[in-house]
Every structure is written in C-alpha cells, then in structure tokens.
Amino acid sequence: MCAVDCTKVSGDTFVQWIGLRTFCVMGPSHPIRAGGKQETHCMNEKVATDGVHAIARAQISRREGLKLSVSGVLASVLPALAATRAASPSSERPKEDTMTSASARQTASASPTDEAAIRPFQVKIAEADLIELRKRINATRWPQREPVADASQGVQLATIQKLARFWATEYDWRKCEAKLNALPQFLTKIDGLDIHFIHVRSKHENALPLIVTHGWPGSVIELLKIVEPLTNPTAHGGSASDAFHLVIPSVPGYGFSGKPATTGWDPARIARAWVVLMKRLGYGRFVAQGGDWGAMITDVMATQAPAELLGIHLNWVFAVPPEINGAAFTGQPAPQGLSVDEKRAYEQLETFYRKGVGYALEMANRPQTLYGFEDSPVGLAAFLLDHDARSYELIARTFDGQQTGLSRHDVVDNITLYWLTETAVSSARIYWENKSGFFTPKGVGIPVAVSAFPDEVCTMPRSWAERAYPKLMYYNKLDKGGHFAAWEQPQLFSEEVRAGFRGLRA
C-alpha cells in the first residue's frame, strides 16, 4: 500500500514531497563555461559518416502524474515529471555545441563539419594547472570535526585531511597521464558533441567487440585495470576465445568528452550515440557492459534493441519489482514471503532511500548550484567520496594504510580528472536529465548477464533478475566486490564479463 494518497495532494505539494524523497528531476538547465585547460594533440582519420536521431519525449501531464502510486514512483513518476520539461519550447533543441576545452578545440585538426572523423587524442595537462591545484588544496579552510564517532554525518574530517595531505605532497598526476596516454585514445563528434573514448583492439582473432561505460562518481579511470584482462585474456587466466575488442567512452559532460550546452543528453540519447560510435568503428555486432550510469545507459540501449547489440552485462541491475521498490521507498517493513537474498536486497534498498540518496537529490534537482565543487578541490573530493557507505568505508581504510582493492593513487587519479577537466557540474547533469527509474525493470528483451556483487548498493537476487530479464543468460552472486567492481576487483570482474558473454560467441 502507498503511504501517501497522491491523488489527494496538490501538484505543487506533490512535487515538493517527491523532491525531498527521491530523484526529482525538476529545475531549469543553464549552460556553463567550457572547462579544462588540458592541451590535446589530434590528427584526422576519415571514416564513414553516421547520424544520431533525435529522441522523442513522452508528453505526460502533471495531472496524470498525480494519479501514479508511490510504489511506482521511480519508474513512473520521474519520467512524467521530466516529460513536463520536455513539453516546453526548449525541448525543440538546436544542434549541440561542442564544449571541450579551448585548447582541445584549437588543436583539433578535423574539420568542424566532418563529424565522422576520428582524431587520435593525448592528454597533456599544463604544469601551471597542477601547481594551482596544490595551492588550492593547501589553502583549504577546514570545518570543525564531526561531533560523532562514525561516518553518519558524511565524510569524516580525518579521512579527507589524509587525502588532502597525500594529494598536495605525494601524488603525481603525470603517472596517471602516462597510463592514459599509453592507451589508444580518440575524439569523434556525435550529434555535434565531442566524444572521448579509449579503443583497444585485441590481437586474438574473432574477438568480440565490447563497449563498457562508467558511471558517477567514476570515469574511464575506474576501467583502466580491465583493459588488459579483457583484450589479452591469455595473459590473465583466460583463453583466446574470451577476447574482446574494447571501447571505453567518456560519458558526455565527463572527462575529456564535450560538455553539452543545451539539454537533452539523457541516457537514451547517449545509448543511441554509443551505437553510432560502435558502427563508426566498424563493428556491425557488439555487446555492452555497464555499472551505475553506465548500467543505465546499457539497460536503456537494450530496450532500444538496435540490431547490432547482441546482449548486455550489468553489475548494477534494474530488477527490483515495482511493489517492492515502492515499499522500500516509503520505509515500510520488508514484505512477507521474501527469501533470504530478497530480504537483504530490500534492506539495502530501504537504507539507501533513507540515508544514502542525498547526493543524487541535489544533482537531480539543482546541478547548477554545485559551484563550490568547481572552486574547491577538497570540496569536490569529499563529494565524490560520499557516494555509498561501503565504497566510502573501503576508501577510508585505504587512506588509513590498509590493503584494499584500491590504492590512494587510484582514488586521487579519479578525483584529479574531475578537477582538471572542470566537470563537477557538467557530470551532475545526467541526474537532472534522467527519466527512468534507477532500480526497476524497463522491459529488456535481449540476452542479459548479471553479476551481483555483495557490497553494491543493492545486491540483486537471482529471482528478481529472472523476472526482469526473460532472456537472462547468466547470473552469478559474488563473495566480494562493490559498486566500483571493475576498479577494486578487476580480475574477478573481467572473469565475470568473459563468462557472461561466452554464450553469445557461438
């Protein structure tokens, strides 16, 4: 049962209530300045032209939205509220402006009209920017220590100060830069926007093309450790028949991809862009993988079911039954009759709604307000660390000197990328753009593989995955790993991806 009768409150009251309780996606969009001072070196490589079709948006009135039950709010109400924005004249979007850094625009040798050109890309951050970063870290004005003995009030002062000291005195961005530049990186325009991607082809014959997408607060950096195991499996415990040609794009507004200057780059549009990218690279058939927003983009792509997409693998899974999701959302006790795994998933979900969703609410409602994270590197770092409780615990242990799946360099590499590319605000906009529920099924009809990691925000039970994905071809419940599985458990994650797609290679 719904704890609130949504038909008996006014539209404004209902919207305010939703804004406090879930991923509300209301609010105006504002263009931001082009970010990043990185220098790039690009050349041309002519390939066939492609296009991206504009995304049609459903038009659902607020009156219809008020008739929806709370139990379906994430899967139904949010698309309705988002669609009221789409009905405005601003939904008739002009072609996107590319908002990469000024230096990137100046050194790109491809013609602005040659959207299908693929330009090799290298990262070279100006030394002055790194000096300025350290200066800002050292000038941080610290608040008082939290008055509690745990992380219940957020990122703890001792943890963030350890991170700041390491960042300002020991950390070397050039090592991360070298790792990125050791891989083939490219830029290409899709629908008017520069898309940055890593593209590594396997030496093995019959390798399966795979596009892997990161999420927030991640980046391509969280996926670097899986490049070798997936493209060169014989050197990492696999066989040649498990090899992939690997494509790792930066989501629009993240890293070295362009920053959209107008609205409309939601997961559905990004999914369509990824299909264009894979076809532009010459892949007529491919598979896709994702976690967090990468999972959303991948799951939405699967609902679009392009002919080229053979199947998907997810480590964030959209399979919570709507009635279960509604009960957890409203804080009700666990429904009767749940299995052990289902009850644990329910408790994880209820805890997330009650204690863990705050970061997403702000980005979904007011991403433009996050000015402080563009101005303070320590403020940005704290916000990126405060994603989910188990990941934060892992990172805190890392800065306490304990051995974990992540190193201090891993964590700070990712934060530094956000800082140097000035993407704190632009990366948040996908929350505002999203129109889909973040846990509930979308009606995927193609083959799906699922890896359920124990420390994910919600460890999806097999029973729910089977209901949500009628063509579930693989399911495995792991005994370790969390939200950033590819980053902290790259070997295990790579084995899961190989196993998940093995049935599609015949």
Side-chain angles (χ1 to χ4, degrees):
M1 293 290 291
C2 177
V4 175
D5 185 349
C6 302
T7 64
K8 294 182 179 179
V9 295
S10 70
D12 289 342
T13 300
F14 179 76
V15 169
Q16 291 168 5
W17 180 74
I18 293 297
L20 291 172
R21 285 302 305 246
T22 188
F23 296 84
C24 180
V25 289
M26 306 209 43
S29 175
H30 306 279
I32 62 170
R33 62 191 173 95
K37 300 178 182 176
Q38 66 275 6
E39 299 171 9
T40 61
H41 307 279
C42 307
M43 299 178 293
N44 285 338
E45 181 180 335
K46 175 65 179 160
V47 293
T49 60
D50 300 287
V52 173
H53 297 293
I55 299 173
R57 291 192 173 196
Q59 306 299 310
I60 304 176
S61 70
R62 177 173 292 186
R63 181 184 298 260
E64 292 170 319
L66 294 176
K67 295 178 181 178
L68 298 170
S69 68
V70 172
S71 64
V73 68
L74 289 183
S76 302
V77 171
L78 295 183
L81 296 177
T84 63
R85 279 204 319 263
S88 68
S90 64
S91 65
E92 299 176 3
R93 298 182 299 273
K95 197 166 188 178
E96 296 290 337
D97 294 324
T98 301
M99 296 190 68
T100 51
S101 72
S103 58
R105 290 199 305 272
Q106 292 165 1
T107 59
S109 56
S111 166
T113 60
D114 188 7
E115 287 218 347
I118 295 178
R119 300 113 62 195
F121 176 91
Q122 289 273 284
V123 181
K124 190 178 189 327
I125 301 298
E127 185 63 28
D129 291 345
L130 300 178
I131 293 172
E132 174 67 15
L133 169 59
R134 288 189 287 271
K135 178 181 176 182
R136 285 174 177 258
I137 295 169
N138 289 327
T140 299
R141 186 172 68 178
W142 296 101
Q144 70 177 92
R145 181 189 178 278
E146 64 280 359
V148 293
D150 54 26
S152 59
Q153 291 195 0
V155 175
Q156 292 164 288
L157 183 62
T159 297
I160 196 66
Q161 287 185 330
K162 290 173 187 175
L163 185 153
R165 282 194 295 272
F166 171 76
W167 203 0
T169 61
E170 299 181 51
Y171 175 72
D172 184 0
W173 163 258
R174 298 301 182 195
K175 292 180 180 179
C176 180
E177 192 172 84
K179 285 191 292 185
L180 286 167
N181 289 338
L183 297 170
Q185 298 176 84
F186 303 89
L187 292 176
T188 192
K189 278 191 193 300
I190 300 178
D191 208 9
L193 193 71
D194 262 344
I195 299 299
H196 165 262
F197 62 98
I198 296 167
H199 182 202
V200 181
R201 289 185 58 84
S202 175
K203 65 182 180 180
H204 297 293
E205 293 184 15
N206 302 316
L208 182 62
L210 166 66
I211 184 167
V212 180
T213 310
H214 67 83
W216 187 97
S219 65
V220 296
I221 286 175
E222 69 176 286
L223 302 173
L224 296 181
K225 296 178 186 178
I226 65 172
V227 172
E228 267 292 307
L230 292 180
T231 60
N232 188 19
T234 55
H236 298 271
S239 64
S241 61
D242 288 324
F244 294 93
H245 296 312
L246 189 59
V247 178
I248 305 175
S250 294
V251 172
Y254 288 71
F256 301 107
S257 279
K259 300 174 183 178
T262 59
T263 60
W265 279 93
D266 61 0
R269 188 175 186 180
I270 298 169
R272 289 184 173 90
W274 281 187
V275 176
V276 171
L277 175 60
M278 295 301 279
K279 292 168 67 177
R280 190 172 290 181
L281 293 173
Y283 298 130
R285 56 193 291 273
F286 65 91
V287 293
Q289 198 287 328
D292 195 85
W293 280 113
M296 175 71 80
I297 293 164
T298 301
D299 207 58
V300 169
M301 188 193 306
T303 67
Q304 296 167 348
E308 298 82 6
L309 183 61
L310 301 179
I312 65 172
H313 175 274
L314 304 172
N315 54 289
W316 176 293
V317 188
F318 303 87
V320 178
E323 67 278 9
I324 300 294
N325 184 63
F329 173 70
T330 54
Q332 298 179 33
Q336 296 295 315
L338 298 182
S339 69
V340 173
D341 286 348
E342 290 171 345
K343 186 173 182 181
R344 179 174 186 268
Y346 181 87
E347 291 169 349
Q348 288 177 311
L349 194 59
E350 191 275 333
T351 299
F352 174 75
Y353 283 142
R354 182 164 41 87
K355 294 183 177 181
V357 75
Y359 71 93
L361 289 177
E362 182 62 24
M363 291 190 285
N365 279 281
R366 297 290 186 268
Q368 188 64 28
T369 301
L370 305 179
Y371 296 101
F373 303 141
E374 294 279 9
D375 188 62
S376 167
V378 169
L380 172 66
F383 192 60
L384 297 180
L385 259 58
D386 199 17
H387 176 271
D388 66 279
R390 297 309 296 269
S391 295
Y392 171 72
E393 290 170 7
L394 176 73
I395 292 169
R397 292 198 303 272
T398 299
F399 282 92
D400 282 339
Q402 300 180 36
Q403 292 294 320
T404 69
L406 298 178
S407 70
R408 294 183 300 172
H409 278 91
D410 289 335
V411 176
V412 177
D413 282 345
N414 185 63
I415 298 168
T416 306
L417 180 65
Y418 273 80
W419 175 260
L420 294 173
T421 56
E422 300 176 21
T423 49
V425 171
S426 59
S427 64
R429 296 193 195 284
I430 193 170
Y431 286 85
W432 189 92
E433 293 280 1
N434 179 52
K435 296 176 286 294
S436 299
F438 225 88
F439 294 100
T440 48
K442 299 179 187 62
V444 172
I446 69 171
V448 177
V450 166
S451 295
F453 289 90
D455 292 333
E456 181 54 279
V457 172
C458 180
T459 305
M460 206 61 63
R462 178 191 291 269
S463 57
W464 292 354
E466 289 174 339
R467 287 174 58 183
Y469 300 109
K471 292 187 178 180
L472 186 69
M473 60 181 172
Y474 177 86
Y475 176 94
N476 190 29
K477 181 182 174 184
L478 288 304
D479 60 3
K480 61 181 177 179
H483 186 73
F484 301 100
W487 207 13
E488 58 169 292
Q489 300 292 338
Q491 183 64 30
L492 183 60
F493 179 89
S494 298
E495 291 169 358
E496 284 296 294
V497 173
R498 293 179 202 149
F501 287 127
R502 200 163 282 146
L504 295 178
R505 292 180 181 270

